[in-house]
Amino acid sequence: MPVSISTTASLYDRVRRVIPPIEWPAFSDDIDAILALKRERNAVILAHNYQTPEIFHCVADIVGDSLALARKAMSVEADVIVLAGVHFMAETAKLLNPGKTVLIPDLGAGCSLADSITASDVRLMRQRYPGVPVVTYVNTSAAVKAESDICCTSGNALAVVESLGTPRVIMLPDEYLARNIAAQTKIEIIAWKGHCEVHERFTPADIRELREAHPGVTVLAHPECPPEVVAEADFAGSTAAMSDYVGRHKPARVVLMTECSMSDNVAVEHPEVDFVRPCNLCPHMKRITLPNIRAALEEGRHVVTIDPDVADRARRAVERMLAV
Ligand code: SF4
């Protein structure tokens, strides 16, 4: 059934603060087609907080950070899940929904953190630190998760590390997340040298300049930022925690030291807050577009598959995290 013009118009009302009217006609055809295809294929779209507003607010069924997507993926009734995010997120959705078809619109949507470590690197770390449990950030391949004891996200990393009851923990692969968690716990953290190419570029000088240019601005930083950046910020937390912070504190003016689309997506919900927007784009997240989501649904591509043995072991690590 075709989608009425008024449906698309009401969607535009939602995003008019962040998408100029001149850009909307370039999106509306694909949005109509995607909404119809979702019904035809019994599909849902899961979108990460770093997806652009026309995806996040206009075609997604479930939105959130990695943890929210992982959790909500488990209650999905649809036959098909389209993951508007990067490849490790699509793999996590497949791990938790082995009977469903999981599609990623662009196979090139990777992640610098996920690419920083392999399964054999994890085995080497275990040899070097025998008996020390391995906590792996969800921003990793299924093969790396399969070598781990438990996964974590930036939202639950401290709780996961402290749940293990050991004096030392190996935390892979994000060095800065590991160091930011180490600053909050007595547990010794052994880190890896992986970095997020978006968050590693923020500096303390950026924050000082922002405070000078925008007196009174509240600065929120993602824990994938270097510890010196987190130390200069007013608050550090996952994308979900940053969004909650804005909702609870309603700062007059705020800057989110994270990926660019995050501010747009949170701004839609909080028109009363002024968002200052220096940000860094994630080139991997930006590979997902309305046209390739539409093509994914039309052509059933690209199907995410995981070796069954790897999937069983990786699923255990994710499920242990979800139980914390
Ligand atoms: S923002 Fe960073 S961690 Fe997230 S997908 Fe992009 S490179 Fe990976």
Side-chain angles (χ1 to χ4, degrees):
M1 190 176 72
V3 175
S4 70
I5 288 172
S6 62
T7 304
T8 310
S10 71
L11 286 173
Y12 184 62
D13 275 347
R14 194 165 159 67
V15 292
R16 63 170 60 249
R17 292 184 63 247
V18 292
I19 298 180
I22 196 165
E23 289 181 17
W24 185 248
F27 299 138
S28 55
D29 271 6
D30 284 328
I31 290 172
D32 281 351
I34 289 167
L35 297 180
L37 282 160
K38 281 200 298 181
R39 286 193 293 273
E40 276 168 31
R41 306 282 200 265
N42 192 21
V44 292
I45 297 177
L46 274 53
H48 188 263
N49 288 329
Y50 296 161
Q51 292 297 297
T52 46
E54 72 279 6
I55 295 173
F56 188 91
H57 287 290
C58 299
V59 299
D61 301 283
I62 295 174
V63 296
D65 61 4
S66 301
L67 177 61
L69 294 182
R71 278 188 196 284
K72 290 175 186 169
M74 294 171 80
S75 57
V76 161
E77 298 274 330
D79 299 319
V80 177
I81 296 172
V82 179
L83 204 300
V86 296
H87 195 263
F88 74 79
M89 295 176 181
E91 280 194 331
T92 307
K94 181 66 182 175
L95 288 177
L96 297 174
N97 294 273
K100 297 189 191 306
T101 300
V102 176
L103 305 176
I104 182 151
D106 187 325
L107 281 172
C111 169
S112 64
L113 273 172
D115 289 346
S116 73
I117 192 160
T118 65
S120 64
D121 292 331
V122 184
R123 290 192 289 270
L124 280 174
M125 289 295 275
R126 282 200 188 278
Q127 279 172 20
R128 186 176 299 176
Y129 301 100
V132 180
V134 175
V135 177
T136 296
Y137 197 24
V138 285
N139 298 32
T140 47
S141 66
V144 165
K145 288 183 178 76
E147 298 295 332
S148 312
D149 294 292
I150 187 167
C151 289
C152 74
T153 69
S154 55
N156 64 14
L158 181 61
V160 167
V161 164
E162 296 198 329
S163 75
L164 297 172
T166 54
R168 290 212 291 179
V169 161
I170 298 169
M171 197 172 170
L172 309 170
D174 187 341
E175 180 193 1
Y176 296 145
L177 178 65
R179 284 172 54 194
N180 284 321
I181 295 301
Q184 301 171 57
T185 181
K186 292 192 164 59
I187 295 168
E188 184 191 346
I189 308 277
I190 300 161
W192 186 253
K193 280 279 183 195
H195 299 137
C196 162
E197 67 188 85
V198 171
H199 294 100
E200 72 176 347
R201 282 185 278 153
F202 292 113
T203 67
D206 292 339
I207 298 185
R208 289 193 286 271
E209 280 164 26
L210 281 162
R211 291 197 194 279
E212 223 175 287
H214 306 278
V217 70
T218 299
V219 180
L220 312 186
H222 193 280
E224 289 168 15
C225 293
E228 308 76 50
V229 171
V230 166
E232 291 266 347
D234 297 301
F235 172 80
S238 66
T239 54
M242 283 194 263
S243 184
D244 284 354
Y245 184 102
V246 173
R248 268 187 291 113
H249 296 272
K250 304 218 182 308
R253 183 173 280 178
V254 70
V255 58
L256 310 183
M257 308 299 280
T258 188
E259 211 276 343
C260 300
S261 291
M262 177 76 192
S263 291
D264 289 342
N265 290 331
V266 181
V268 167
E269 309 289 352
H270 300 288
E272 71 285 8
V273 176
D274 179 20
F275 286 79
V276 182
R277 299 177 196 218
C279 59
N280 293 326
L281 268 180
C282 174
H284 311 290
M285 288 281 180
K286 268 38 198 185
R287 292 183 83 109
I288 308 300
T289 62
L290 287 175
N292 63 24
I293 291 173
R294 180 177 178 171
L297 284 163
E298 281 170 345
E299 298 165 29
R301 71 176 193 196
H302 304 275
V303 178
V304 176
T305 56
I306 307 170
D307 172 87
D309 170 56
V310 169
D312 284 346
R313 290 184 293 126
R315 187 179 305 113
R316 274 199 292 277
V318 176
E319 286 174 348
R320 278 190 77 187
M321 168 187 80
L322 295 175
V324 169

